[in-house]
């Protein structure tokens, strides 16, 4: 897991470092960083919402297919896939942003957890020496409350934040470290806050003392959940308006997810540094603004024109590249292969078709024969009644 954090965190760290050099305030840098990543993802979001809008146009056709083949789900699926292929639409296209958002989250967490690496660019040898010093202080001076008085290593994801905390409490212990470590970390710690609250601290539901910092940290997870709720509610309302059939089919699940995700965000924001929750607040707000703007852009007339253009593009591409298979063609071939395998399983040794119950009995008999042969081979007793049970 640490490898994944490092892999995604390195490019994000350089981006955050660049922003921090321009705006030497960590909270403001997070806001700008969030906006930049959202703008970088704008082409993906554009394509996703365009796909969703085109899917909306298909709903009358899909509804006719559902009614015509209501008693034959297999045929219904085949016909729906044919429509998707003809229209050049990938019904799974909306999944990509979810995966990208997950990768973004790993990168942000790594940047927030490791500011000494990603923002200050202190070399590994100096970081390791500082972490070892902080670990010694945690054990030697448990009254300082560094990491709960327990030792730790660089493999601990919070090691750099704990080290920064130790330096703040015992600056003289780190004075001899190279690369101006003490000065750089101290200067950075002064900007690693919002309204005086250290974004490297983890919010506490029951802090030891209620002061300005603890109150701000306490509010961040709930603001993150509220921002997520606003975005989720808007998305659900939009879904009800544009695709009532799909909403009717999975309305209960959508409603649960609408409220479950914000609650999950609140819980998780109490488990990670406040900088991550702070990022979530603006991530949800920027997502809401971009989604709202794209929904306004994709008016009914515009999406009809776009749909005709995309259909023609898909047709021309298919003619020029007949050997290349689309996503829906591969799906249909896989479905056909699966159906052939299922059909083959329902044929006995004489090549005659058998029912599902007969096939189950046939398989049980085959298994029973195999067990009996194994028992005879190894001289064990075999009881038919065991299989009957």
């Amino acid at each position: 897991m640490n490898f994944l954090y490092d892999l995604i965190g390195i490019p994000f760290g350089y981006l955050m470092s660049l922003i921090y050099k321009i705006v030497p305030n960590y909270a403001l840098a997070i806001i700008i960083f969030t906006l930049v990543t959202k703008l970088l993802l704008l082409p993906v979001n554009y394509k996703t919402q365009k796909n969703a809008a085109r899917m909306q146009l298909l709903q009358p056709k899909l509804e006719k297919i559902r009614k015509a083949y209501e008693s034959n789900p297999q045929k219904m699926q085949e016909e729906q896939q044919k429509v998707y292929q003809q229209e050049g639409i990938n019904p799974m296209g909306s999944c990509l942003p979810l995966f990208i958002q997950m990768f973004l989250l790993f990168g942000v967490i790594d940047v927030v957890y490791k500011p000494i690496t990603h923002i200050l660019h202190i070399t590994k040898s100096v970081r390791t020496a500082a972490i070892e010093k902080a670990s010694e202080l945690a054990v030697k001076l448990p009254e300082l409350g560094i990491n709960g008085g327990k030792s730790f290593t660089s493999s601990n994801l919070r090691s750099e934040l704990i080290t920064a905390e130790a330096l703040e409490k015992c600056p003289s212990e780190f004075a001899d470290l190279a690369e101006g470590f003490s000065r750089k970390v101290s200067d950075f710690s002064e900007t690693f806050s919002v309204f005086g609250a250290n974004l490297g601290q983890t919010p506490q539901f029951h802090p030891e003392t209620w002061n300005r910092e603890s109150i701000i940290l306490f509010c961040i997870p709930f603001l993150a959940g509220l921002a997520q709720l606003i975005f989720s509610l808007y998305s659900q309302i939009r879904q009800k308006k544009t695709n009532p059939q799909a909403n009717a089919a999975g309305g209960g699940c959508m409603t649960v997810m609408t409220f479950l995700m914000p609650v999950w965000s609140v819980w998780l924001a109490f488990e990670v540094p406040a900088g991550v929750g702070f990022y979530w607040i603006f991530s949800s707000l920027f997502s809401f603004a971009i989604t709202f703007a794209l929904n306004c852009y994709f008016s009914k007339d515009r999406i009809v024109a776009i749909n005709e253009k995309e259909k023609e593009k898909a047709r021309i591409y298919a003619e020029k590249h007949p050997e290349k298979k689309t996503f829906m063609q591969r799906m249909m071939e896989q479905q056909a292969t699966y159906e052939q395998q299922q059909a083959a399983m329902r044929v006995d040794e004489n090549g005659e078709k058998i029912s599902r119950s007969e096939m189950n009995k046939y398989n049980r008999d085959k298994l029973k024969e195999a067990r009996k042969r194994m028992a005879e081979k190894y001289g064990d007793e075999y009881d038919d009644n065991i299989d009957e049970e």
Side-chain angles (χ1 to χ4, degrees):
M1 185 62 76
N2 283 343
F3 169 76
L4 184 59
Y5 282 121
D6 292 338
L7 179 66
I8 306 170
I10 289 173
F12 278 73
Y14 279 107
L15 176 59
M16 178 65 90
S17 179
L18 176 63
I19 296 172
Y20 184 76
K21 286 179 181 178
I22 300 172
V23 184
N25 179 284
Y26 196 73
L28 187 56
I30 287 180
I31 297 174
I32 297 174
F33 170 82
T34 309
L35 179 59
V36 170
T37 55
K38 291 297 180 183
L39 292 177
L40 289 175
L41 286 175
L42 187 58
V44 177
N45 289 325
Y46 174 88
K47 187 174 181 179
T48 300
Q49 288 191 239
K50 180 180 72 174
N51 192 71
R54 293 183 65 204
M55 285 288 291
Q56 179 188 344
L57 291 179
L58 289 184
Q59 288 310 310
K61 290 184 180 179
L62 296 176
E63 184 62 23
K64 287 182 180 179
I65 292 173
R66 280 191 286 267
K67 290 180 178 179
Y69 302 101
E70 187 174 3
S71 59
N72 191 343
Q74 181 178 323
K75 184 65 176 177
M76 180 196 302
Q77 188 178 26
E78 289 177 2
E79 294 300 318
Q80 287 177 338
Q81 289 175 349
K82 287 179 182 178
V83 171
Y84 292 141
Q85 182 179 347
Q86 292 168 359
E87 298 289 335
I89 293 180
N90 179 5
M92 304 297 292
S94 59
C95 296
L96 179 60
L98 297 177
F99 289 110
I100 294 177
Q101 289 291 341
M102 186 59 67
F103 278 109
L104 276 175
L105 181 58
F106 278 112
V108 170
I109 288 177
D110 196 66
V111 170
V112 173
Y113 270 122
K114 299 177 181 178
I116 297 175
T117 297
H118 297 301
I119 308 299
L120 303 181
H121 299 293
I122 301 295
T123 59
K124 185 177 180 179
S125 59
V126 177
R127 292 199 313 268
T128 302
I131 291 170
E132 290 175 354
K133 177 70 70 175
S135 179
E136 292 173 5
L137 289 173
V139 177
K140 186 168 65 174
L141 301 173
E143 64 274 11
L144 295 179
I146 301 172
N147 197 40
K150 300 177 181 178
S151 64
F152 60 96
T153 64
S154 56
S155 62
N156 186 326
L157 198 58
R158 291 180 54 86
S159 60
E160 293 190 14
L161 296 176
I162 300 170
T163 300
E165 179 187 356
L167 186 146
E168 184 180 355
K169 294 179 178 179
C170 300
S172 61
E173 296 289 335
F174 299 85
D176 60 341
L177 291 177
E179 301 182 28
F181 178 87
S182 182
R183 176 184 53 81
K184 288 182 179 179
V185 175
S186 296
D187 292 345
F188 175 76
S189 296
E190 293 180 3
T191 69
F192 197 63
S193 62
V194 57
F195 302 120
N198 188 338
L199 292 175
Q201 297 292 327
T202 300
Q204 300 294 321
F205 205 81
H206 297 289
E208 294 181 2
T209 57
W210 285 99
N211 52 31
R212 181 181 179 182
E213 182 178 49
S214 62
I215 292 173
I216 293 174
L217 294 178
F218 178 82
C219 291
I220 286 177
F222 290 101
L223 290 175
L226 179 61
Q228 175 69 44
L229 180 62
I230 292 171
F231 180 49
S232 297
L233 285 174
Y234 170 75
S235 299
Q236 186 181 34
I237 292 171
R238 179 74 184 177
Q239 179 74 3
K240 286 182 178 179
K241 182 179 178 181
T242 59
N243 193 358
Q245 292 91 350
N247 184 73
C253 181
M254 286 181 61
T255 301
V256 170
M257 292 301 295
T258 298
F259 294 98
L260 182 61
M261 290 303 294
V263 172
W264 180 79
S265 297
V266 172
W267 174 79
L268 192 58
F270 273 106
E271 301 294 321
V272 295
V276 177
F278 189 75
Y279 162 79
W280 279 340
I281 294 172
F282 290 93
S283 178
S284 295
L285 292 178
F286 288 143
S287 293
F288 170 77
I290 291 172
T291 302
F292 179 80
L294 287 175
N295 284 334
C296 292
Y297 174 79
F298 288 121
S299 63
K300 187 173 182 180
D301 292 338
R302 180 174 280 121
I303 198 59
V304 168
I306 290 175
N307 189 58
E308 292 302 319
K309 185 177 179 180
E310 291 294 327
K311 283 174 62 177
E312 182 64 15
K313 188 188 298 184
R315 185 188 65 79
I316 294 173
Y317 182 84
E319 290 178 354
K320 290 183 177 180
H321 306 86
E323 74 286 354
K324 291 188 177 181
K325 298 175 182 178
T326 65
F327 172 82
M328 292 312 303
Q329 285 176 324
R330 292 195 296 269
M331 287 283 290
M332 292 175 69
E333 288 180 0
Q334 290 175 2
Q335 180 68 21
T337 301
Y338 173 76
E339 290 168 4
Q340 289 174 1
Q341 292 174 346
Q342 291 295 105
M345 291 174 63
R346 295 175 187 171
V347 176
D348 62 13
E349 293 176 338
N350 299 321
E352 297 180 359
K353 292 185 177 181
I354 57 177
S355 66
R356 185 180 295 274
S357 60
E358 289 173 332
M359 181 181 68
N360 291 336
K361 183 179 182 302
Y362 175 79
N363 290 334
R364 285 197 300 270
D365 291 341
K366 283 287 186 182
L367 181 60
K368 189 185 297 185
E369 289 178 12
R371 287 177 175 174
K372 187 174 182 180
R373 285 196 301 270
M374 290 295 292
E376 291 174 351
K377 179 178 179 180
Y378 293 101
D380 297 330
E381 293 185 2
Y382 176 73
D383 187 358
D384 286 346
N385 296 325
I386 295 177
D387 288 319
E388 294 299 328
E389 292 175 1

